[in-house]
Amino acid sequence: QTTSSVFPQLYLSNFSKLSSSRKIEVEQNIKEAINRFISFQTANGGFGYWPGDVNDSEWGTNYATHFLIEAERKGYSLPYGMKNKLLSYLRTKARSWQPKKSRFKYRNQSHEIIQAYRLYILALANKGELGAMNRMKENKVLSVNTKWRLAGAYKLLGQDKVANNLIFGVPTDIEDYKEYSYSYGSSLRDEAMILEVISRMDDKAKAGILAKKIADQLGDNSRWMSTQTTAYSLIAMSQFLEGSTTSSQMKFSYSIHGKQ
């Protein structure tokens, strides 16, 4: 909840022009959230799901670390030592990861996407774990979102050919979604994660189609969304907009009283 409430605020200026008072409010929100994360950090270096937890939340740590890396890139200061402890925790987890062999497919997929997201974050922080990435790539039954997220990690490390080969022919739609335990996702959240990667890979045509789909669902007031789904959809749309060159003019058609 803490991460979802502030992560999209890093990118509000991509969507609209902010007043001076609104900019100050946003900056204060982000700074307060960053300082609040101190109470979530465990002795292992990861983050608990609740303040004061002694056990790490693997997905929560991934998600919050992603936010902190992006916040630092935008000029926000992080508490002393927090980032190094987080990255050390993530690297240890990444190196020791092994595929699960559960008879429940969704449990294996949950385990996969947590690792793929972890590898993506490490690459984003210039601490890529290529060995762990290569081991994961050899798994021939990775889920759609896992393949895209792992491809994003390769892209961040400059391994464009490997990234493109990994997602060749892989769809961007998430169908028959079953909530992957402990990742708190949805089909829209996962499609937003895919859009984020496609935007980095500079495939404007494919990104545009997926962005339109996500925008339509964000604009559907009859649809309920979790805080993380809403937040990640906005994050992905902002990444899409950052990589686009937009014109000050809009072209559209309309009808009034049945006349075009």
Side-chain angles (χ1 to χ4, degrees), residues 58-73:
E58 292 190 72
W59 185 266
T61 300
N62 285 349
Y63 189 35
T65 305
H66 189 182
F67 160 71
L68 291 169
I69 290 170
E70 294 289 1
E72 187 178 48
R73 287 188 170 188

Side-chain angles (χ1 to χ4, degrees), residues 134-222:
N134 290 339
R135 288 195 301 275
M136 184 171 219
K137 179 170 64 70
E138 295 307 309
N139 188 338
K140 303 303 182 184
V141 291
L142 296 174
S143 65
V144 168
N145 193 16
T146 297
K147 286 181 179 179
W148 278 105
R149 186 94 324 206
L150 186 57
Y154 278 108
K155 172 67 177 179
L156 287 167
L157 294 185
Q159 304 261 343
D160 290 24
K161 184 176 181 181
V162 179
N164 290 328
N165 287 339
L166 188 59
I167 46 85
F168 180 77
V170 177
T172 59
D173 295 329
I174 304 293
E175 298 179 354
D176 301 324
Y177 187 90
K178 183 168 185 177
E179 204 288 308
Y180 301 157
S181 300
Y182 307 112
S183 76
Y184 316 101
S186 65
S187 57
L188 181 56
R189 194 284 307 271
D190 283 14
E191 286 170 353
M193 293 182 78
I194 291 171
L195 175 59
E196 180 192 8
V197 173
I198 296 175
S199 297
R200 290 191 183 277
M201 298 180 82
D202 203 29
D203 188 338
K204 291 182 172 59
K206 190 175 288 185
I209 294 169
L210 190 53
K212 173 67 165 58
K213 179 181 179 181
I214 292 170
D216 286 344
Q217 293 188 63
L218 280 171
D220 183 357
N221 291 331
S222 66

